[in-house]
Each structure stands twice: as C-alpha cells, then as structure tokens.
Amino acid sequence: MTGISRTPDPPYYAVIFTSRRARRHEGYEAMADRMVELAREQPGFLGMESVREGALGITVSYWESTGAIEGWRRHVEHQEAQRRGREDWYEAYSVRVARVERARAFDREKE
Amino acid sequence: MTGISRTPDPPYYAVIFTSRRARRHEGYEAMADRMVELAREQPGFLGMESVREGALGITVSYWESTGAIEGWRRHVEHQEAQRRGREDWYEAYSVRVARVERARAFDREKE
C-alpha cells in the first residue's frame, strides 16, 4: 500500500496494472517490494499508487513519457518478474497505458 | 471490490480516482455502492475496477469518451456524492483523466 502520488501537471503517462493473484504466491511479496524499489530508480518515474484487497490489486505508476515506460518494461529484472508473474503469481491481469490529460487533487488540510 | 474489467480495444478513457478516507465515514459504504450502480447506467460507461486497503482506495472507471466522463461528473446525484466526499468522507483524493492508448491482458485459463 502506498499513498497518493504527487505528480506534475499533465500531460504525463499512467500504467494501470490490475491483477488477480493466484492462491500460490511464494516469493510474491519480496518481488513486489523489489519492483517498487526498482521502478522508483528508473528514468522518467513520477510516482506509484498501489492497493491490494484480497486477490485483487490495482497498481498505477506514473511516467514522463512512453519511452520511460518502455524502458521499465524491458528492464531485465522486471522482465523476470513479469515471467514469474505469468507462471506463478497471477491468475489474470490487465495492463493499460494511458496519457493523463487532466488532473485535480483535493487535500482537506490545504483547503 | 470488483473484478478486472473487459474493455474494448483502445482508444478509450480512464478516470483514475485515488483516495484516502477520513476516519469518520458514516454513510460512505451506501454511497459508494450507489455510485457504482449509477455509473454502470451512464451512457458511454465501459467498466470499473475498485480496490480499497484500509484508508487508501483506487477506483478506475473506463469510458468511451471525455463527453461521457463529463456527463457522469455533472450527474446530480454524483455531484452530491462529490460534495459529501469533500466535506465528510475523504482526507484527500486525486482524479486523473487519461486516454488509454494501449492495453493487453493475461488470463491463465485462456493461455
């Protein structure tokens, strides 16, 4: 679980990853933590929001450009995590790449 | 909590709503259920994915066009829910409107 990301003004990009985890998930938590840590180090990374409720999870990561997303997708360690995800950890998932065009935020403490 | 939405081929639009709920949340669950029900009836609605983990929630809804999103944003009952959300239910939230450009899905049963 993360917080709400502070992102710059649009446009930027979002990767919406929705997943249903398999019952068998040895090694999943360590991988998930490692992927968050690694994603934060990538060029063009802007933020990440992630929530899991039982089997269902939504992770949205934010990026400066589609090139940054492509770089992350092809990262060797991330490729290995993707492979293990398909083989072991996920029953199903969807990945959507979207261009953020408008954004607004509300924070009670700042009103 | 929902499942993974089956959406048509891109392009289409996503509204990414990330929220941190306040401690006080009488009436929240009933409103949230009602908003899901109502959103599904709106023209141009394509799907919704929603997960909550403690205070933090992510809801992504999918729409045919920005016009459909605008219609939903202005819906009278939804406007009232937004007002109560700011007054009572949320400490903070962000709303991002994004154009989905690419999507892929994995389903173990279909591989």
Side-chain angles (χ1 to χ4, degrees), chain A residues 13-27:
Chain A
Y13 285 82
V15 178
I16 306 164
F17 178 72
T18 309
S19 62
R20 196 170 64 246
R21 217 164 53 175
R23 280 163 191 258
R24 172 181 158 198
H25 48 78
E26 293 84 8

Side-chain angles (χ1 to χ4, degrees), chain A residues 7 12 18 49 56 90 108, chain B residues 2 18 49 90 96 108:
Chain A
T7 38
Y12 53 90
T18 309
E49 298 167 339
L56 197 74
Y90 296 119
R108 185 178 301 274
Chain B
T2 59
T18 309
E49 298 168 339
Y90 297 120
R96 295 176 174 97
R108 185 178 301 274

Side-chain angles (χ1 to χ4, degrees), chain A residues 3 6 9 17 21 26-27 33 35-37 39 46 51-52 59 62 67 71 75-76 83-84 86 90 97 103 111:
Chain A
R6 290 186 196 184
D9 288 339
F17 178 72
R21 217 164 53 175
E26 293 84 8
D33 290 348
M35 286 306 113
V36 172
E37 183 187 310
L46 298 176
V51 175
R52 178 162 293 282
T59 297
Y62 300 103
H75 188 289
V76 170
R83 188 188 62 75
R84 288 222 46 201
R86 285 187 296 270
Y90 296 119
V97 177
E111 295 298 303

